[in-house]
């Protein structure tokens, strides 16, 4: 435990000095403020408080931003150590590979959580100042924060797995961007194309909900929109999948960090320095 | 401390190490020499438990390489290690202390010991190559290791840093630590190690102290004889084997003939004004062994 905390402290310092913490926090705060301001239009007509609307917008944004920040934090974790020559050194210390990954994950997750709280917290305060009835949306905001942390944890794990496979930081960066494009952009586009081509057939009814649950980013969006019943203000793929029960999307959000952590450990165990 | 018996390792079809056997005793400094690709780093990584081996036995502190017992007592300094530039030397060493379950407050003492006192609070990114190597060395001192594995520790160090480094190794050996260090040049390790092991193409081609290697190699000694003015002909007559080069006679003789030739030269008396004896250089000895495999 001491070893994990010591590793986490060093990693946190490195990320803070490399400005990752500042960049992530500023990014989240700026986007949250823009969305809060932009979301002021439709509230009256929908009869929902301002914070709930903001949360719906933030959900769509987080699907893109949180995986990106998580992958940026994690892609260098193993490949960078291998390139600097410190990987073989740290592997000769009396600590396990799981502990090494855990130390890095604790630090990176802490940075992500701080950035999320800064961004979403700002949005929450702004919404409350503009519309006191926003208190109703507090539950949705808390849910958005913890699911974002879970989504971040998922992509941190996937980033570590990539980093361990890549051997070089440049290769890991390329793979990380590829994974991000695939998971949050191309996957949905492909599904949309399939749904359109299927025209309400078997795929749309049976397979489509499962494909949404299988992707951590889609499961995150589904859960947040369905649980806050804010689907009225959201459009697109998520609105088309109201048939998925809330517990299923919640389970996917919770199970994915474990799966990606397992993948990271498997991938790291195979690394021969 | 460390015992290798018929250690063999293949990478696909290529033999990286072929039946290598030697040991390192407590308090002993052993230099592992060889060209790039001779198998030095492979051997070290096997001893550290980082990569598996195919045949033979390896005993590290009486345990299997990479086992908890071995890892607790073995320190490693990788070749060309570069610590994270964003951390200070002190923060980096505090981390390594914590990883070995030691008190992080000892970091200052360790940095003092390797001569990094003034730079402890500066980021490693601002360090010179020699200073980074000292951080690596400070890391290897954490927790009083019983066996130190140092991969090319002096490459890129200036002569003063190198001397400091060997002085530190002397202290460690005196405290009973076993040290295995690699180098690609015999000149770098010369008199500062107790024993030398030479690897070539994965084979152990020589092992022993520098003087045993010197006599085993049996390389010829060069003699430079300066004749007195007008006496060149006399010297040439009595030493027909010598070659005249720019007013000096050069003579290449084997170790066994050395004394006999010396007697003949001194018998020339006043005809010779100076005599220089040039023993085979460390590089000559090293080349002799490392080329024996037809490399």
């Amino acid at each position: 435990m001491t070893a994990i905390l010591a590793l986490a402290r060093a990693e946190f310092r490195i990320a803070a000095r490399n400005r990752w913490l500042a960049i992530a926090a500023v990014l989240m705060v700026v986007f949250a403020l823009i969305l809060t301001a932009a979301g002021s239009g439709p509230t009256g007509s929908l009869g929902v408080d301002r914070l709930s609307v903001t949360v719906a917008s933030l959900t769509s944004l987080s699907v893109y931003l949180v995986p990106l920040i998580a992958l940026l934090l994690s892609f260098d974790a193993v490949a960078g150590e291998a390139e600097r020559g410190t990987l073989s050194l740290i592997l000769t210390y009396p600590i396990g590979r799981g502990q090494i990954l855990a130390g890095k994950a604790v630090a990176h997750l802490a940075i992500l959580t701080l950035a999320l709280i800064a961004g979403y917290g700002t949005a929450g305060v702004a919404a409350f100042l503009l519309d006191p009835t926003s208190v109703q949306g507090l539950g949705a905001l808390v849910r958005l924060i913890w699911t974002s942390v879970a989504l971040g944890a998922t992509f941190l794990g996937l980033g570590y797995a990539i980093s361990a496979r890549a051997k070089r930081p440049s290769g890991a960066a390329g793979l990380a961007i590829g994974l991000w494009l695939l998971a949050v952009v191309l996957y949905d586009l492909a599904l949309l194309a399939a749904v359109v081509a299927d025209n309400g057939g078997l795929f749309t009814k049976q397979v489509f909900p499962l494909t949404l649950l299988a992707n951590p980013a889609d499961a995150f969006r589904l859960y947040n929109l369905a649980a806050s019943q804010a689907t009225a203000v959201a459009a697109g793929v998520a609105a088309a999948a109201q048939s998925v029960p809330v517990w299923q999307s919640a389970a996917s959000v919770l199970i994915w960090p474990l799966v990606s952590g397992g993948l990271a450990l498997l991938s790291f165990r195979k690394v021969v320095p | 401390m460390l015992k290798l018996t018929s250690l063999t390792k293949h990478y696909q079809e290529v033999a990286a190490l072929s039946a290598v056997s030697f040991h390192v005793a407590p308090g002993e400094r052993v230099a592992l020499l060889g060209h790039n690709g001779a198998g030095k780093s492979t051997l070290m990584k096997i001893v550290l438990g980082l990569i598996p081996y195919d045949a033979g036995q390896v005993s590290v502190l009486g345990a299997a390489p990479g086992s908890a017992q071995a890892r607790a007592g073995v320190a490693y300094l990788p070749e060309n290690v570069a610590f994270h530039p964003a951390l200070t030397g002190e923060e980096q060493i505090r981390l390594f202390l914590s990883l070995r379950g030691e008190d992080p407050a000892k970091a200052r003492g360790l940095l003092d010991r390797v001569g990094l006192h003034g730079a402890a609070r500066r980021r490693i990114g601002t360090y010179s190559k020699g200073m980074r190597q000292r951080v690596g060395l400070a890391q290897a001192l954490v927790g009083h290791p019983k066996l130190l594995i140092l991969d090319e520790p002096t490459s890129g160090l200036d002569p003063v840093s190198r001397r400091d480094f060997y002085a530190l190794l002397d202290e460690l050996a005196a405290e009973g630590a076993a040290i295995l260090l690699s180098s690609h040049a015999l000149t770098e390790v010369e008199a500062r190690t107790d024993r030398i092991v030479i690897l070539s193409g994965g084979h152990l081609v020589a092992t022993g102290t520098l003087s045993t290697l010197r006599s085993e190699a049996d390389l010829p000694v060069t003699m430079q004889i300066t004749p007195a003015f007008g006496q060149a002909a006399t010297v040439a007559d009595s030493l027909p084997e010598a070659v005249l080069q720019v007013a000096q006679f050069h003579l290449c003789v084997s170790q066994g003939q050395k004394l006999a030739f010396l007697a003949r030269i001194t018998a020339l008396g006043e005809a010779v004004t100076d005599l220089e004896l040039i023993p085979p250089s460390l590089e000559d000895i090293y080349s002799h062994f490392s080329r024996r495999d037809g490399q």
Side-chain angles (χ1 to χ4, degrees):
Chain A
M1 203 59 210
T2 336
I4 294 176
L5 286 180
L7 273 167
R9 201 173 303 132
E11 283 294 331
F12 190 89
R13 252 191 206 120
I14 289 170
R17 288 187 188 155
N18 286 347
R19 313 262 193 290
W20 282 123
L21 178 57
I23 291 168
V26 168
L27 208 63
M28 293 309 297
V29 169
V30 167
F31 274 105
L33 284 176
I34 291 173
L35 289 182
T36 313
S40 56
T43 44
S45 56
L46 288 165
V48 197
D49 66 281
R50 182 185 288 264
L51 187 54
S52 294
V53 176
T54 305
V55 166
S57 318
L58 283 177
T59 302
S60 303
L61 173 79
S62 303
V63 166
Y64 296 97
L65 268 192
V66 171
L68 186 66
I69 295 174
L71 288 170
L72 285 177
L73 284 171
S74 58
F75 83 88
D76 194 48
V78 181
E81 298 254 8
E83 190 175 67
R84 288 194 299 278
T86 42
L87 183 64
S88 55
L89 176 61
I90 202 159
L91 290 178
T92 64
Y93 270 72
I95 51 165
R97 296 193 180 201
Q99 284 175 293
I100 296 173
L101 276 188
K104 287 176 181 287
V106 167
H108 293 149
L109 208 55
I111 286 167
L112 200 65
T113 308
L114 285 175
L116 287 169
I117 289 175
Y120 298 162
T122 310
V125 170
F128 184 75
L129 289 177
L130 292 169
D131 172 14
T133 62
S134 290
V135 181
Q136 295 165 26
L138 206 58
L141 188 70
V142 170
R143 185 165 46 235
L144 179 64
I145 292 177
W146 78 254
T147 49
S148 294
V149 171
L151 181 66
T154 300
F155 277 89
L156 281 177
L158 294 175
Y160 299 146
I162 283 174
S163 194
R165 291 296 302 217
K167 304 226 154 123
R168 245 183 287 278
S170 53
L175 283 175
I177 293 298
L179 173 70
W180 180 79
L181 269 178
L182 192 73
V184 307
V185 182
L186 299 178
Y187 193 86
D188 287 357
L189 278 181
L191 283 187
L192 205 59
V195 168
V196 169
D198 189 46
N199 199 17
L202 192 70
F203 176 82
T204 312
K205 290 191 182 116
Q206 303 291 321
V207 187
F208 179 57
L210 292 178
T211 54
L212 286 183
L213 288 174
N215 184 330
D218 282 326
F220 164 83
R221 181 162 28 199
L222 267 187
Y223 175 64
N224 274 295
L225 297 184
S228 66
Q229 268 131 42
T231 35
V233 291
V237 173
Q242 284 172 24
S243 55
V244 179
V246 174
W247 71 266
Q248 287 186 0
S249 50
S252 175
V253 167
L254 285 173
I255 289 169
W256 258 108
L258 302 178
V259 172
S260 83
L263 282 175
L265 197 54
L266 269 179
S267 177
F268 189 37
R269 286 238 165 94
K270 280 195 187 148
V271 172
V272 178
Chain B
M1 288 291 123
L2 172 64
K3 193 167 164 38
L4 306 178
T5 318
S6 306
L7 176 62
T8 301
K9 166 81 182 171
H10 291 268
Y11 284 120
Q12 279 99 43
E13 294 302 296
V14 187
L17 292 170
S18 310
V20 173
S21 305
F22 70 92
H23 70 276
V24 186
E28 200 178 23
R29 296 157 301 172
V30 175
L32 187 61
L33 297 186
H35 296 308
N36 294 328
K40 304 184 301 274
S41 289
T42 301
L43 187 147
M44 290 187 154
K45 285 186 172 175
I46 289 173
V47 169
L48 292 159
L50 291 173
I51 54 176
Y53 53 98
D54 299 326
Q57 278 110 47
V58 182
S59 162
V60 181
L61 311 178
S67 62
Q69 191 189 335
R71 283 211 247 175
V74 179
Y76 174 46
L77 176 58
E79 187 186 353
N80 292 327
V81 66
F83 298 103
H84 204 290
L87 292 178
T88 67
E90 189 175 5
E91 286 163 353
Q92 185 68 71
I93 297 303
R94 286 177 72 93
L95 170 62
F96 285 123
L97 280 159
S98 301
L99 294 184
R100 283 208 185 274
E102 299 265 325
D103 180 8
K106 291 180 186 167
R108 270 305 174 108
L110 285 174
L111 288 168
D112 284 354
R113 199 164 170 195
V114 297
L116 275 181
H117 178 77
R121 301 231 160 140
R122 264 169 49 202
R123 291 194 191 177
I124 295 174
T126 67
Y127 285 13
S128 67
K129 157 120 197 178
M131 290 164 82
R132 288 205 302 270
Q133 197 71 356
R134 283 162 190 256
V135 176
L137 193 59
Q139 162 278 134
L141 302 178
V142 168
H144 300 281
K146 296 192 184 82
L147 172 66
L148 286 99
I149 306 287
L150 313 170
D151 199 354
E152 309 224 350
T154 55
S155 74
L157 289 192
D158 59 75
V160 176
S161 301
R162 195 181 298 168
R163 205 179 53 204
D164 292 347
F165 167 78
Y166 279 111
L168 193 58
L169 284 199
D170 293 347
E171 284 175 34
L172 291 169
E175 289 165 14
I179 298 163
L180 178 67
L181 68 101
S182 74
S183 179
H184 52 251
L186 191 50
T187 43
E188 285 201 358
V189 297
E190 38 180 333
R192 309 305 298 259
T193 50
D194 301 306
R195 211 144 46 82
I196 290 160
V197 172
I198 301 179
L199 282 183
S200 178
H203 293 269
L204 191 153
V205 290
T207 173
T209 61
L210 188 56
S211 57
T212 36
L213 290 185
R214 203 187 278 277
S215 60
E216 215 176 284
D218 197 24
L219 293 176
V221 180
T222 305
M223 293 178 176
Q224 275 180 9
I225 305 139
T226 315
F229 185 72
Q231 296 289 325
T234 323
V235 175
D237 282 348
S238 21
L239 294 168
E241 302 90 340
V243 185
L244 184 64
Q245 283 174 355
V246 204
Q248 275 189 330
F249 288 94
H250 288 248
L251 194 58
C252 225
V253 302
S254 71
Q255 298 285 346
Q257 298 171 296
K258 192 167 64 181
L259 290 176
F261 269 97
L262 269 180
R264 279 167 64 187
I265 294 162
T266 43
L268 288 168
E270 303 263 305
V272 173
T273 56
D274 196 14
L275 169 67
E276 200 96 59
L277 259 180
I278 304 165
S281 74
L282 294 169
E283 287 309 318
D284 292 339
I285 297 171
Y286 171 55
S287 302
H288 169 81
F289 285 108
S290 57
R291 280 193 195 136
R292 209 156 61 173
D293 266 14
Q295 284 204 347

